[in-house]
Amino acid sequence: MLYTLTPISLTLLINSALLIFLGFYLWRRGTYYYFSLAMFAAAFWAFSGSMENGLLEISDKILWAKITYVGIYTMTPFWFLFCLQYSKFKKNILKTLSYLVWIIPIMLFSLTITNEYHGLFWTSILPIDNDITKGLLYSRGIGVYFSMVYSYLLIFLGVLALAIYAFKTTKIQRLQIFTLFIGILIPWIVNFFYLTYSPEVSQGIDLTPVAFAVTGIFAALSIFKYKLSDLIPAAKDLVYSNLEVGVIVVNNENVIVDFNPMAKKILRDNLVNGVIAEKVYLTDSLALKVIIEEGKNRIINLLESNQWLDIHISDLNDRSGHLIGKTILIYNITNQKNVEQKLEQSNKFFSDLTDFLPDPIFVLDTERKIVFWNKAMEELTGMKSEDIIGKGNYEYAIPFYGKKRPMLVDLILDNDSSSETWKLYENEKVEKEGDVITIKTYNNVLRKDGIYLWILAQPIFDNNGKIIYAIESIRDVNDIHEYQEELKTKIDELSAMNKVMVNRELKMIRLKEELNLLKTKTTSK
């Protein structure tokens, strides 16, 4: 291949190098990969255009003219996808379009490389030789204009997406978008005139990749001045404004230099930039300055608005590590406090209620940890609630069995009659009615002389029908059992006495019958 530098080919090479640099810069920053790919596509367009313009052999020029379309057909799809990515399109839509957008470019490129068979893109190719260029004059076919319509449609849709997004984004991003508008429109305006005027006017020189130098300059402006590749300023602005946490920034003189809308809302519009912190009161007697100087996190209650605030103070340092101010984060924890108070009231009510009950009761959570152990249970087992609450691993079974093992309440949590827990009770008379399990058993660990217990276990469900707790209630039925045994003994004794009495009566009856029979015989003689 014979190659010579012309003013056009040199310009295209320089532009290609600039676009490659910008593409790699963005790629290394891990920001907007589609924009990086668009820069690489433009760089390839410019490089292959330089090759086509500088090569001397016509066959080589035609080959590189076809290769140029790799950059042409990929540039606009990447630009379109970048616009959607920058405009925060939904990921599922972006993913779908990232596949569909390539269907037409693939078809067009297939037709381009086979142009000699159908002439849809170039109907004729003539050489041009002058001091500026050593190019070819291409007579355009319908395929060129079809690809032009498709490319311009993608550009228009991308610009439209950016324009819509610009109305609802931050000031710095609007500047970025405006810069990108100019950078991308200039090459395509040049391209429009190149494609709409006759090839003789342009002398076969496509200045579109040359105009991409302008795109590179404006992209550089966005990157280095407006920090397109640095999301921090834009992201900070957007997140900062929409945080559900109040943020106040003060300098070393405790002067408020910035705050977000949530902080202003929490403090009842009592914030103004430039005001010293001692003039901003959280309560009637508590100034913001006091909290800053203490430098401690604290929770306060705003009685007037019935709000609970969790306030965190942290130092704000510059890159050299020097203290330049403080940040105050204000969390509105009113809902959390209300829930905690209601939960505390509910727990107290439940505790008072169950402590009042005469039966020993304990409660397990789904992790089989003790969450409640009432006073009656303390009296039965001799184990204080503070010593057992929070413990698991079958610790609650030790007072009853002298070792760790499942109890009746574990049958509720297992809910599987084939489990090992159920096998422990296979010789016991376990009765199950609905969700309630009961058993009467003898225990010789709680008392040396043994004790009879009646045990009940049942679940507690949440609103979705899911078990969240399991309760075991234990009743000392030893007295009842002894009474029943005593009653049985009395019944047996009465039954025996009754049997004696019946036998006696039967003997008396037989005796009377014998006497009457003897008397009858005597009388008859």
Side-chain angles (χ1 to χ4, degrees):
M1 290 185 181
L2 297 176
Y3 180 85
T4 181
L5 275 178
T6 66
I8 296 298
S9 63
L10 179 60
T11 303
L12 290 172
L13 281 176
I14 294 172
N15 184 68
S16 177
L18 175 61
L19 292 171
I20 289 173
F21 166 76
L22 293 170
F24 271 114
Y25 177 83
L26 283 171
W27 190 275
R28 290 185 62 188
R29 297 296 297 269
T31 307
Y32 300 131
Y33 292 118
Y34 285 125
F35 191 85
S36 298
L37 293 171
M39 292 293 99
F40 291 144
F44 187 82
W45 185 349
F47 174 76
S48 54
S50 172
M51 293 296 293
E52 187 226 343
N53 189 268
L55 287 168
L56 300 179
E57 295 293 332
I58 293 179
S59 59
D60 293 338
K61 286 179 177 289
I62 294 174
L63 174 62
W64 278 96
K66 292 179 178 180
I67 294 174
T68 301
Y69 275 84
V70 174
I72 295 173
Y73 291 145
T74 56
M75 170 66 192
T76 47
F78 282 137
W79 159 259
F80 171 70
L81 293 173
F82 157 70
C83 292
L84 298 188
Q85 183 188 32
Y86 189 90
S87 304
K88 305 295 187 296
F89 261 63
K90 293 181 179 179
K91 289 184 178 180
N92 56 338
I93 297 177
L94 185 59
K95 184 177 180 180
T96 302
L97 290 174
S98 66
Y99 294 112
L100 296 177
V101 78
W102 298 108
I103 296 175
I104 292 179
I106 292 172
M107 294 172 57
L108 290 173
F109 186 71
S110 300
L111 293 173
T112 302
I113 60 177
T114 58
N115 181 77
E116 56 268 23
Y117 299 107
H118 46 70
L120 291 175
F121 282 84
W122 307 310
T123 57
S124 65
I125 303 175
L126 299 174
I128 300 174
D129 191 0
N130 55 44
D131 294 336
I132 299 176
T133 180
K134 296 183 181 297
L136 297 176
L137 191 63
Y138 298 90
S139 297
R140 305 181 193 102
I142 191 172
V144 173
Y145 296 104
F146 182 82
S147 65
M148 169 184 168
V149 171
Y150 180 70
S151 297
Y152 288 1
L153 177 63
L154 291 184
I155 294 170
F156 171 75
L157 293 176
V159 169
L160 181 62
L162 288 177
I164 294 172
Y165 182 67
F167 283 103
K168 56 182 180 181
T169 190
T170 60
K171 181 179 179 181
I172 189 169
Q173 284 186 302
R174 282 194 289 271
L175 289 172
Q176 293 171 357
I177 291 170
F178 178 74
T179 306
L180 289 171
F181 280 166
I182 297 174
I184 198 63
L185 287 178
I186 290 176
W188 293 110
I189 290 172
V190 173
N191 181 259
F192 176 79
F193 284 108
Y194 169 72
L195 292 176
T196 53
Y197 280 81
S198 66
E200 290 80 7
V201 174
S202 62
Q203 288 292 296
I205 301 174
D206 183 3
L207 294 178
T208 305
V210 178
F212 273 118
V214 179
T215 304
I217 293 171
F218 279 93
L221 183 63
S222 287
I223 292 170
F224 297 110
K225 183 175 182 179
Y226 300 129
K227 298 183 179 179
L228 171 63
S229 65
D230 188 357
L231 287 176
I232 293 175
K236 274 186 177 178
D237 194 6
L238 190 60
V239 174
Y240 184 69
S241 299
N242 292 281
L243 273 178
E244 293 296 322
V245 178
V247 181
I248 301 174
V249 181
V250 298
N251 61 17
N252 287 333
E253 288 74 39
N254 286 339
V255 175
I256 296 174
V257 296
D258 198 12
F259 55 85
N260 70 345
M262 182 53 68
K264 192 174 182 67
K265 180 181 178 181
I266 292 174
L267 298 182
R268 298 159 295 171
D269 297 330
N270 196 22
L271 287 175
V272 179
N273 283 335
V275 172
I276 56 176
E278 65 182 354
K279 291 187 177 182
V280 177
Y281 283 84
L282 300 174
T283 67
D284 292 337
S285 58
L286 180 61
L288 183 61
K289 178 184 176 182
V290 175
I291 295 178
I292 296 172
E293 290 178 346
E294 286 181 354
K296 296 180 180 179
N297 303 335
R298 62 189 298 179
I299 295 175
I300 63 172
N301 184 14
L302 304 183
L303 296 176
E304 293 182 7
S305 57
N306 194 27
Q307 291 188 102
W308 286 89
L309 305 180
D310 185 5
I311 302 177
H312 293 251
I313 309 293
S314 58
D315 291 340
L316 188 62
N317 300 315
D318 61 15
R319 293 184 178 180
S320 302
H322 298 112
L323 181 67
I324 58 175
K326 302 271 188 181
T327 56
I328 302 101
L329 301 180
I330 306 175
Y331 299 85
N332 190 335
I333 58 170
T334 304
N335 292 335
Q336 177 184 334
K337 275 292 182 180
N338 289 339
V339 170
E340 287 177 357
Q341 289 175 352
K342 289 179 181 179
L343 184 61
E344 186 177 345
Q345 292 171 359
S346 298
N347 288 339
K348 187 176 185 305
F349 173 77
F350 180 74
S351 177
D352 292 343
L353 178 63
T354 51
D355 275 344
F356 177 75
L357 295 174
D359 290 337
I361 294 173
F362 70 88
V363 181
L364 295 183
D365 62 17
T366 53
E367 295 180 355
R368 301 177 197 264
K369 292 183 179 179
I370 294 287
V371 296
F372 187 78
W373 188 273
N374 73 346
K375 290 182 179 178
M377 185 63 74
E378 291 180 346
E379 295 172 1
L380 176 66
T381 61
M383 183 173 287
K384 295 294 183 182
S385 62
E386 55 265 26
D387 297 329
I388 190 68
I389 294 293
K391 291 186 177 180
N393 194 26
Y394 305 117
E395 292 269 354
Y396 43 85
I398 295 176
F400 296 95
Y401 298 100
K403 62 180 181 180
K404 298 178 182 180
R405 55 153 284 177
M407 292 182 63
L408 196 68
V409 69
D410 291 288
L411 300 184
I412 296 293
L413 297 175
D414 284 346
N415 197 26
D416 181 5
S417 58
S418 63
S419 68
E420 293 297 323
T421 304
W422 280 85
K423 290 180 181 179
L424 290 173
Y425 290 90
E426 59 185 359
N427 296 324
E428 302 272 4
K429 187 179 179 181
V430 178
E431 297 181 1
K432 191 172 188 297
E433 184 175 348
D435 297 315
V436 179
I437 301 174
T438 59
I439 189 175
K440 183 180 177 183
T441 186
Y442 177 75
N443 187 290
N444 58 3
V445 176
L446 283 171
R447 292 183 188 174
K448 292 182 179 180
D449 55 347
I451 182 174
Y452 284 91
L453 301 173
W454 181 79
I455 304 173
L456 177 147
Q458 69 180 72
I460 297 178
F461 301 97
D462 61 11
N463 293 334
N464 298 319
K466 183 180 179 182
I467 295 177
I468 53 175
Y469 297 109
I471 296 178
E472 181 162 318
S473 174
I474 300 171
R475 182 172 295 178
D476 179 356
V477 293
N478 204 56
D479 292 341
I480 296 175
H481 181 79
E482 290 178 356
Y483 173 76
Q484 288 175 340
E485 291 296 320
E486 185 178 347
L487 182 61
K488 183 180 178 182
T489 301
K490 293 294 183 184
I491 291 173
D492 291 342
E493 289 176 356
L494 289 172
S495 178
M497 290 178 62
N498 182 60
K499 188 175 181 180
V500 171
M501 292 297 293
V502 169
N503 290 335
R504 182 181 175 183
E505 288 296 325
L506 289 174
K507 288 181 180 180
M508 290 297 295
I509 291 172
R510 283 197 294 269
L511 181 59
K512 285 182 180 181
E513 289 177 350
E514 290 177 359
L515 287 174
N516 288 335
L517 180 60
L518 183 59
K519 185 177 178 180
T520 302
K521 290 181 178 180
T522 303
T523 303
S524 62
K525 290 180 178 181

